[in-house]
């Protein structure tokens, strides 16, 4: 267990989505799989801190390949991406120290259960993840946003995990984030490409109770919202509810097939 450093002013990162463009259509298959549009998918994230020697030996790359290959053999796996973390954006993320992550999506909770128990998944974990991982953190949630959050090749994704303060219900944070994203961008064309919800798998979550992803067309688009007045206003409204926040960014490598979830 890695201890998280205290954050004086935890920040929840919300996108100003009226600035975002629709990502370009994918040209080829690679690290992501094509999937049907599902408004409320099950999100599954595993953050992995790999051993330094796994990076230099190629074992980390083999781990990523083994996880990506699950898309072809596990029924109900609507989308999967495995790869390195681009950057750690909060003290809690730096304390946790993940180097890689897995992001997958499912239409329903039974599909996630099928994935977890599937022999191919178990084999990949035993052969490639367990021997090379110093630490792992996992969270799952049902998307509570109004619209899907498609992921396309070259997309930059910001993952935020949060713990609420004592006495604050996670359901309240979910509702406040829903209202904040609606206020920032409205609902309909050009609305928030986000997914968020209450974590329903606490066993490996290290106390994180809430998860959120914000999908941007590129790293440049993600960086463009930093410091925006409307985004900062939304963060300020949520800050009193939060105890600790972990934020990191990753990129879905191109070429890849779009996943509209």
């Amino acid at each position: 267990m890695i201890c998280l450093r205290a954050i004086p002013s935890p920040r929840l990162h919300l996108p100003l989505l009226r600035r975002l463009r629709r990502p370009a259509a994918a040209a080829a298959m690679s690290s992501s799989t094509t999937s049907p549009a599902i408004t409320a998918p099950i999100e599954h994230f595993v953050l992995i801190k790999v051993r330094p020697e796994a990076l230099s030996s190629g074992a980390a790359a083999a781990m990523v390949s083994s996880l990506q290959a699950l898309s072809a053999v596990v029924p109900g796996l609507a989308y999967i991406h495995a790869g390195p973390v681009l950057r750690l954006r909060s003290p809690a993320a730096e304390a946790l120290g993940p180097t890689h992550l897995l992001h997958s999506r499912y239409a329903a909770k039974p599909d996630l259960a099928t994935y977890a128990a599937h022999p191919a998944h178990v084999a990949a974990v035993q052969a490639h993840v367990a021997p090379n991982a110093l630490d792992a953190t996992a969270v799952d949630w049902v998307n509570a946003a109004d619209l899907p959050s498609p992921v396309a090749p070259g997309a930059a994704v910001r993952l935020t995990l949060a713990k609420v303060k004592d006495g604050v219900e996670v359901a309240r944070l979910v509702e406040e984030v829903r209202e904040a994203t609606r206020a920032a961008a409205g609902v309909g064309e050009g609305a928030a490409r986000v997914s968020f919800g209450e974590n329903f798998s606490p066993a490996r979550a290290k106390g994180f109770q809430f998860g959120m992803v914000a999908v941007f067309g590129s790293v440049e688009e993600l960086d463009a919202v930093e410091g925006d007045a409307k985004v900062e206003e939304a963060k300020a409204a949520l800050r009193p509810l939060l105890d600790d926040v972990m934020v990191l960014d990753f990129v879905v490598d191109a070429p890849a097939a779009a996943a509209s979830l």
Side-chain angles (χ1 to χ4, degrees):
M1 181 73 71
I2 297 177
C3 295
L4 300 178
R5 297 198 298 268
I7 301 178
S9 299
R11 299 185 299 165
L12 188 66
H13 288 245
L14 296 172
L16 181 62
L17 292 154
R18 62 186 52 174
R19 287 187 175 183
L20 301 183
R21 301 187 301 272
R22 289 179 176 269
M29 295 285 290
S30 179
S31 65
S32 306
T33 57
T34 304
S35 58
I38 302 172
T39 302
I42 305 301
E43 304 278 12
H44 174 63
F45 270 93
V46 181
L47 310 183
I48 305 167
K49 181 178 182 179
V50 304
R51 300 178 184 278
E53 59 268 28
L55 294 172
S56 57
S57 68
M63 177 188 72
V64 168
S65 296
S66 72
L67 294 172
Q68 295 287 177
L70 297 176
S71 63
V73 295
V74 178
L77 177 55
Y79 167 85
I80 189 167
H81 166 78
V85 170
L86 174 65
R87 55 197 179 191
L88 305 175
R89 297 302 303 265
S90 72
E94 292 170 0
L96 203 60
T99 59
H100 292 71
L101 60 78
L102 177 141
H103 175 206
S104 54
R105 285 173 163 176
Y106 310 84
K109 288 183 180 180
D111 295 327
L112 173 58
T114 296
Y115 162 83
H118 195 279
H121 171 252
V122 174
V125 171
Q126 292 178 343
H128 296 282
V129 180
N132 297 302
L134 288 170
D135 187 60
T137 304
V139 295
D140 305 301
W141 72 85
V142 180
N143 182 24
D146 294 305
L147 294 173
S149 55
V151 180
V157 184
R158 174 157 292 177
L159 170 66
T160 300
L161 303 181
K163 302 175 185 179
V164 298
K165 289 183 176 178
D166 290 342
V168 175
E169 295 290 335
V170 181
R172 178 185 171 191
L173 175 60
V174 171
E175 186 58 34
E176 293 284 350
V177 171
R178 182 185 291 113
E179 293 304 316
T181 55
R182 286 172 177 169
V187 177
E189 186 68 22
R193 289 192 285 135
V194 299
S195 170
F196 55 86
E198 181 174 356
N199 175 42
F200 61 80
S201 301
R204 294 189 297 155
K206 294 185 172 64
F208 290 106
Q209 303 154 292
F210 171 89
M212 176 175 177
V213 288
V215 182
F216 297 80
S218 66
V219 174
E220 291 75 19
E221 288 187 0
L222 188 160
D223 290 342
V225 305
E226 294 293 342
D228 184 276
K230 206 157 193 175
V231 174
E232 294 303 317
E233 180 181 348
K235 291 179 187 178
L238 296 169
R239 194 167 293 129
L241 306 178
L242 305 174
D243 180 50
D244 199 9
V245 177
M246 190 231 64
V247 184
L248 61 78
D249 300 333
F250 65 96
V251 174
V252 178
D253 293 333
S260 298
L261 273 172

